[in-house]
């Protein structure tokens, strides 16, 4: 079942992205959907000043609330009390 929403260039979406330096750290980030500068026939996600070719490997959500809910289902609620000791 394909749960990836149909997206078009010009839209703002939300993705769950892992920190490449700490794989146990992930967060919800806003991304712009744009034409891929390397292949104008494809879409890309523009995130952190970088273009990522759009693929089904990204968990893409139309709203921040949707992305946050998926994040909580996947990673649970943050343990604030553990963070502060």
């Amino acid at each position: 079942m394909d749960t990836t929403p149909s997206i078009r260039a010009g839209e703002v979406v939300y993705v769950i992205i892992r920190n490449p330096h700490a794989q146990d750290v992930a967060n919800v980030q806003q991304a712009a959907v744009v034409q891929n500068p390397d292949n104008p026939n494809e879409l890309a996600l523009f995130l952190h000043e970088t273009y990522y070719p759009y693929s089904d490997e990204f968990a893409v959500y139309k709203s921040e609330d949707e992305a946050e809910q998926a994040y909580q289902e996947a990673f649970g609620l943050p343990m604030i009390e553990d963070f502060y000791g």
Side-chain angles (χ1 to χ4, degrees):
M1 177 177 159
D2 182 15
T3 58
T4 304
S6 62
I7 61 171
R8 289 182 268 210
E11 290 187 72
V12 172
V13 295
Y14 297 86
V15 297
I16 298 173
I17 189 164
R18 288 190 182 270
N19 181 324
H21 305 291
Q23 285 296 304
D24 60 339
V25 177
N27 56 21
V28 173
Q29 293 288 308
Q30 187 180 63
V33 180
V34 297
Q35 292 302 126
N36 187 336
D38 297 325
N39 185 347
N41 296 324
E42 294 179 356
L43 295 176
L45 296 173
F46 187 65
L47 175 69
H48 297 295
E49 304 298 320
T50 304
Y51 293 95
Y52 297 93
Y54 179 76
S55 74
D56 61 1
E57 292 180 18
F58 287 96
V60 176
Y61 302 91
K62 293 275 194 167
S63 75
E64 187 174 13
D65 288 340
E66 249 184 322
E68 289 290 345
Q69 182 178 357
Y71 175 91
Q72 289 176 10
E73 289 174 8
F75 299 101
L77 294 173
M79 301 297 283
I80 301 298
E81 62 274 2
D82 287 346
F83 180 75
Y84 293 107

